[in-house]
Amino acid sequence: EAGVAQSPRYKIIEKRQSVAFWCNPISGHATLYWYQQILGQGPKLLIQFQNNGVVDDSQLPKDRFSAERLKGVDSTLKIQPAKLEDSAVYLCASSPFIRGDYEQYFGPGTRLTVT
Amino acid sequence: QKEVEQNSGPLSVPEGAIASLNCTYSDRGSQSFFWYRQYSGKSPELIMFIYSNGDKEDGRFTAQLNKASQYVSLLIRDSQPSDSATYLCAVRTKWAAGNKLTFGGGTRVLVKP
């Protein structure tokens, strides 16, 4: 079974530029999550999708971050414009269901550096 | 107050010893508790989860839960250098639309040969 795929793996941009990250979850997984992990901290949930609907985006800075999940499969996370404090690893995870305790499988992450 | 708190470490333990990691959480409605391991530069991977008060053992790992004290711990027996990593405590809380997983900041463990 293929794991969660993310691209790019690394990205360096200047502040005020825009950037987009892509995630392909495990086949058949209905729930998809985007986390932000700042160095030395635990992952922080940015947005959670159930199929192609948003379940929770309470911690997404909506003035600059946006995300979509087309057709309930792949997802993109965009930052526009980027700030220095957006430097972090962006992790995508997926799980089979939203309710119950099903493991979240994490992708390798995208390391973003904003200069 | 942070929702899930862990000592950042590093927790230094000699090879073969027991590593003891602690985690406290603030939401009494939290239902299940997870321990993830994260190697440097890698993504988190699930070690084990626990729902009920008491101990749960899986190989060299034991999770302990005390809901009254809002406390969960992880013991790593016979620690190996390969156990050197950051251990993340995560707490699942039920809310209207489903479940929410909140992570602590992680405890860095260093096992010395």
Side-chain angles (χ1 to χ4, degrees):
Chain A
E1 179 182 70
V4 177
Q6 290 187 247
S7 68
R9 293 294 312 278
Y10 306 91
K11 190 74 177 179
I12 301 174
I13 61 171
E14 295 181 352
K15 59 183 179 183
R16 292 187 289 274
Q17 287 187 323
S18 62
V19 64
F21 312 128
W22 173 82
C23 173
N24 181 242
I26 293 173
S27 178
H29 280 196
T31 309
L32 185 147
Y33 313 79
W34 282 103
Y35 289 90
Q36 179 193 58
Q37 187 173 24
I38 293 172
L39 186 65
Q41 299 182 17
K44 182 182 86 171
L45 180 68
L46 292 176
I47 189 167
Q48 178 177 338
F49 292 95
Q50 170 74 0
N51 296 312
N52 60 349
V54 175
V55 173
D56 180 6
D57 64 356
S58 58
Q59 298 191 96
L60 187 73
K62 298 181 186 64
D63 58 334
R64 298 184 300 107
F65 286 64
S66 64
E68 61 181 4
R69 189 181 184 195
L70 298 176
K71 300 180 181 178
V73 182
D74 293 6
S75 178
T76 57
L77 176 69
K78 297 179 182 179
I79 308 175
Q80 182 180 8
K83 292 185 175 181
L84 295 176
E85 59 260 35
D86 298 332
S87 294
V89 175
Y90 291 84
L91 294 164
C92 179
S94 70
S95 68
F97 302 99
I98 186 172
R99 301 188 187 276
D101 282 302
Y102 295 93
E103 179 176 356
Q104 292 187 21
Y105 296 83
F106 284 86
T110 296
R111 183 177 298 276
L112 173 67
T113 302
V114 182
T115 63
Chain B
Q1 182 189 8
K2 291 182 180 178
E3 294 182 56
V4 181
E5 293 206 49
Q6 297 180 254
N7 188 317
S8 61
L11 176 65
S12 184
V13 296
E15 184 176 357
I18 296 175
S20 178
L21 290 73
N22 303 319
C23 172
T24 58
Y25 58 95
S26 60
D27 188 342
R28 285 195 171 274
S30 299
Q31 298 177 307
S32 46
F33 309 85
F34 301 79
W35 284 100
Y36 282 81
R37 177 176 60 199
Q38 187 173 29
Y39 292 113
S40 181
K42 302 294 185 182
S43 56
E45 54 180 337
L46 184 67
I47 298 174
M48 62 190 305
F49 56 86
I50 186 168
Y51 305 129
S52 305
N53 281 328
D55 295 0
K56 180 181 179 183
E57 188 174 317
D58 185 357
R60 295 187 295 110
F61 299 96
T62 299
Q64 299 174 317
L65 175 62
N66 183 326
K67 289 188 177 180
S69 300
Q70 296 176 241
Y71 173 96
V72 59
S73 65
L74 179 71
L75 300 177
I76 308 174
R77 290 184 302 282
D78 188 23
S79 295
Q80 301 297 309
S82 59
D83 295 326
S84 297
T86 295
Y87 290 79
L88 298 165
C89 173
V91 174
R92 181 175 72 86
T93 305
K94 195 172 184 180
W95 67 295
N99 299 313
K100 180 177 178 178
L101 198 63
T102 303
F103 285 84
T107 297
R108 187 167 149 241
V109 173
L110 188 61
V111 181
K112 295 186 175 180

